Amino acid sequence: MYAYMTSAENVFVKENDEGYEKVRASNGKKYAFLVESTTNEYINNQKPCNTMKVGSNLDSKGYGIATPVDSQLRDPLTLAVLQLRENGELDRLKKKWWYENSQCDPDTEKDPSQAELTLENVAGIFYILSCGLTLSVVIAAIEFLYKSVVDSKKAKTSFGSMVRCKARLSFRGSLDDSSIPNTPQKKQTATYTYTGPVQVPEYEPYPDNNTHTQV
């Protein structure tokens, strides 16, 4: 910013009044005057009431009262200023001389930085939250239905029973025996393998008889 200001022509002014007049002459389109905030707020509430503060303060600096070194007035002045700040007297005086005695319309004398938060000012936040919440509900519903279709095909059961089962699981956290979808089970068939005749111990079905034929 400073590099641009030093390179451009007719930017700097010698007095604040010259800067205010330059702002009014440009109608706020080509020239902006940087001035400390306290003076700016006071000028904005004086006629012809055609200037305004734009944005927030660039920095924060306070006023001070200078005294000679080792002056006896330093500590009493410091304590007095702190007391006036704590009891709100400084804010009351500023409100009296800056705003209550304003020469401008009451609608324009309010400090823009202290504007109240109304529904119109924060309506955009609620719109964004509502849209985001609606979109998340739609996506969750689509995912729920898609998962129900896939699981119903795997379990070979109806889509409605699977949706009811998942809904009970989501709300209750557990499943009842009646809510579990009936999955058809495969019939089990008994198998038998023939291993040959069973040999009984100490029993010879064909005893080895010592038979011969005599001639």
Side-chain angles (χ1 to χ4, degrees), residues 11 13 23 34 36 51 69 73 80 85 88 110 119-120 132 139 146-147 203:
V11 173
V13 295
V23 170
L34 298 179
E36 52 93 19
T51 58
V69 179
L73 297 176
R85 178 180 296 179
K110 184 181 295 185
L119 182 60
E120 296 179 357
I139 294 176
Y146 174 77
K147 194 70 169 58
Y203 175 76

Side-chain angles (χ1 to χ4, degrees), residues 73-193:
L73 297 176
R74 185 185 63 177
D75 293 339
L77 285 175
T78 301
L79 295 177
V81 171
L82 291 176
Q83 184 177 0
L84 292 175
R85 178 180 296 179
E86 291 178 357
N87 59 22
E89 185 66 18
L90 293 180
D91 294 334
R92 188 189 66 81
L93 292 174
K94 181 179 179 180
K95 182 179 179 181
K96 175 182 178 181
W97 295 105
W98 263 251
Y99 303 109
E100 293 180 356
N101 294 334
S102 173
Q103 299 176 1
C104 301
D105 186 72
D107 295 335
T108 61
E109 68 179 14
K110 184 181 295 185
D111 185 3
S113 62
Q114 299 178 354
E116 297 180 357
L117 290 178
T118 60
L119 182 60
E120 296 179 357
N121 296 335
V122 297
I125 299 177
F126 291 102
Y127 292 151
I128 295 175
L129 291 176
S130 301
C131 293
L133 180 60
T134 304
L135 182 61
S136 62
V137 171
V138 172
I139 294 176
I142 295 175
E143 183 180 1
F144 178 80
L145 296 176
Y146 174 77
K147 194 70 169 58
S148 300
V149 171
V150 174
D151 292 344
S152 63
K153 291 181 179 179
K154 291 181 179 180
K156 295 182 179 180
T157 185
S158 64
F159 172 74
S161 61
M162 183 58 67
V163 171
R164 291 192 295 271
C165 176
K166 287 185 173 295
R168 292 190 183 97
L169 179 61
S170 299
F171 290 103
R172 298 181 181 179
S174 61
L175 293 175
D176 299 334
D177 295 338
S178 59
S179 63
I180 301 176
N182 297 324
T183 303
Q185 300 180 355
K186 296 181 179 179
K187 294 182 179 180
Q188 298 180 357
T189 57
T191 57
Y192 176 76
T193 303

